[in-house]
Amino acid sequence: MFRPIFRMFRPLAAGLVGVLVVVGCAAAAPIEPKTTMTLATPIERFVNLPGDAFPRRFVDVGEAGAPLRMAYVDEGPASGPIVVLVHGQPTWSYMWRHVIAPLAGAGYRVIVPDLIGYGMSDKPVDADAYTYALQQARLSRFVTGVAGEKPVTLVVHDWGGLLGLPLAAGDPDRYQRLVVLDTSLNDGTDVESAMFKAGFDQWLEILRSAPKIPWGEIVRRRTSRAMIDAEVAAYDAPFPDRTFETGPRTMSSRIPRRPEDLGAAENAVARQAFRTWPNPVMIAFSQGSNATHPGQHAMFSALFPPERIHADLTIPGALHFLPEDKPAEVAQAILDFLRATETQQ
C-alpha cells in the first residue's frame, strides 16, 4: 500500500517497503515533553568502525543548568586554518571519515561535530529538545567553545546547512569561507510539487510512528558507492533503540515549509545577507539533488554574488550523501578551494 508514496519520495523512503510498519495515526503533531532525560549511547557500540579510528573529544553546549556533551573529531595541526565539517540527517561525523585525513594532512585543523542527538553526542529523549533554534544555538556554542574567536571555513551537508548557514550569514568575519554540499536554506517560499509534498508528508509520518527505522539502509540507498555492511551498521550504531532516536525522528519536521513556520524568517534574513556575501564560496551538489532538495542547487547558485563563487559543481554519479559517496572527489574539491582562496580572506 505504501509503494506509490515511496516511489514519489524515493530519496528518503526507497528500500524501506517491507521493512517499516507504519501504524494508523493522525498527521504528525508536536510531541508534548514527558521527561528531561538525556541518554548517551554506550561507547562499545562505536568500536572498530571501518575507516574511522579518530578519537572523539567532548564539549558542553547545553543551556544554563542543563549540560549537554557534544562529541567531535579534532585532527590536524592545532595552529592550522580551521575547517568545520557539519553533518546532517541521519548521519554523524563518521560520514566525513575519508575527507578528514586529506584536509588534516594538508595542514588544516579539521573539526567535525556530532550534532546533539546524533553520533556519540548526548541524546535528549524529548522532541522539544530539538527545535531549530536550540540546535542552532548549540552549534554556535560548539564553534566558539572549540575554535575560540578564530576564523573558520564552514562545510555543511544537509541539516548542517540549515543550522550552520544562518550562523555564517550573520557573522562573515568569523565564517570566512563556505562550502555548500547538497543542503538547503528553506524560508517557506520554496516550491514543492504535489508529488514531493505527498512523499515528504509520508516520510514525516514514518518518522513519527514506525517502530523501527533502518538508518544505515537509508544512507546506503542514497549512496551510489557500494557500502559494506559494517559501514551501514556504523550509521545504526548511535541508536540502540527508539529511545535514542528522537533527534533523527524529529529534525525533518523542523524544516520551514511555510513562511509562518519557525525558522523561516531567520532563513529569509540569511538569504538576503548572502546576496552581498563578501567571502569565497564553493557549491557542490549531487547530480540528482533535486529529488531530495528540490530547487536548492539553483537557489544557491543565484544567491551569492557571482564573483564570490569560486566553484559551482555538479558531481556526476553521486547521490545525496556526497561525503560518503564520493569522498575523494569531495576532499579534493575542498582542498582546491581552500588553496585557491587563501589570499582572498
Side-chain angles (χ1 to χ4, degrees):
M1 69 186 262
F2 302 120
R3 194 173 299 276
I5 295 296
F6 287 123
R7 188 178 300 118
M8 293 177 192
F9 202 54
R10 189 173 287 119
L12 290 178
L16 305 186
V17 175
V19 178
L20 292 173
V21 177
V22 181
V23 297
C25 301
I31 299 174
E32 293 298 321
K34 298 180 179 64
T35 176
T36 57
M37 182 186 298
T38 296
L39 302 175
T41 303
I43 197 67
E44 56 265 25
R45 289 183 62 87
F46 301 104
V47 175
N48 297 325
L49 297 174
D52 182 350
F54 301 114
R56 264 59 178 191
R57 307 181 187 192
F58 294 86
V59 63
D60 180 18
V61 298
E63 293 69 51
L68 280 174
R69 298 184 317 149
M70 185 175 280
Y72 66 100
V73 174
D74 193 341
E75 293 290 316
S79 60
I82 298 173
V83 181
V84 179
L85 312 176
V86 187
H87 71 87
Q89 167 89 345
T91 59
W92 57 293
S93 55
Y94 181 76
M95 182 186 65
W96 299 101
R97 65 196 180 281
H98 296 307
V99 176
I100 294 170
L103 299 184
Y108 295 93
R109 181 185 174 194
V110 187
I111 298 171
V112 193
D114 293 339
L115 297 174
I116 291 298
Y118 298 80
M120 297 187 192
S121 290
D122 284 349
K123 299 172 179 66
V125 170
D126 290 343
D128 64 343
Y130 296 95
T131 67
Y132 194 111
L134 283 174
Q135 288 287 71
Q136 194 171 68
R138 292 161 184 158
L139 180 59
S140 179
R141 285 194 287 273
F142 169 80
V143 174
T144 299
V146 176
E149 298 302 319
K150 295 178 181 178
V152 304
T153 296
L154 182 66
V155 181
V156 296
H157 177 262
D158 194 77
W159 254 103
L162 280 161
L163 297 176
L165 290 175
L167 298 178
D171 195 355
D173 290 337
R174 169 185 284 278
Y175 298 95
Q176 294 192 347
R177 288 179 290 198
L178 298 178
V179 177
V180 180
L181 305 175
D182 254 50
T183 187
S184 63
L185 189 57
N186 309 76
D187 67 355
T189 66
D190 303 282
V191 176
E192 292 183 354
S193 68
M195 183 176 293
F196 182 90
K197 182 180 186 302
F200 195 83
D201 289 345
Q202 180 71 5
W203 170 243
L204 295 181
E205 177 63 16
I206 289 167
L207 290 173
R208 195 181 79 88
S209 57
K212 182 175 177 57
I213 298 178
W215 303 107
E217 281 298 327
I218 291 171
V219 176
R220 173 150 45 192
R221 295 292 176 140
R222 294 303 297 158
T223 301
S224 63
R225 180 182 68 81
M227 296 173 61
I228 63 173
D229 290 345
E231 290 175 317
V232 175
Y235 288 106
D236 293 322
F239 311 115
D241 60 53
R242 183 167 179 165
T243 59
F244 291 80
E245 296 178 344
T246 309
R249 284 181 181 264
T250 301
M251 291 303 293
S252 290
S253 68
R254 306 303 194 197
I255 296 173
R257 301 172 68 193
R258 301 169 300 174
E260 63 268 26
D261 288 347
L262 293 175
E266 291 82 356
N267 287 354
V269 169
R271 285 192 184 190
Q272 188 61 36
F274 282 140
R275 297 191 184 282
T276 56
W277 182 248
N279 300 331
V281 179
M282 172 187 144
I283 300 168
F285 275 66
S286 61
Q287 193 169 21
S289 65
N290 270 337
T292 310
H293 294 295
Q296 294 296 297
H297 188 178
M299 185 277 292
F300 281 116
S301 297
L303 184 62
F304 298 97
E307 66 274 15
R308 300 303 177 195
I309 300 177
H310 171 77
D312 188 350
L313 309 174
T314 298
I315 299 183
L319 298 179
H320 173 59
F321 294 100
L322 282 175
E324 181 66 61
D325 205 348
K326 303 287 185 180
E329 291 90 333
V330 169
Q332 189 60 55
I334 294 173
L335 271 177
D336 291 345
F337 169 67
L338 295 173
R339 289 165 173 162
T341 56
E342 286 292 350
T343 60
Q344 296 181 32
Q345 297 187 57

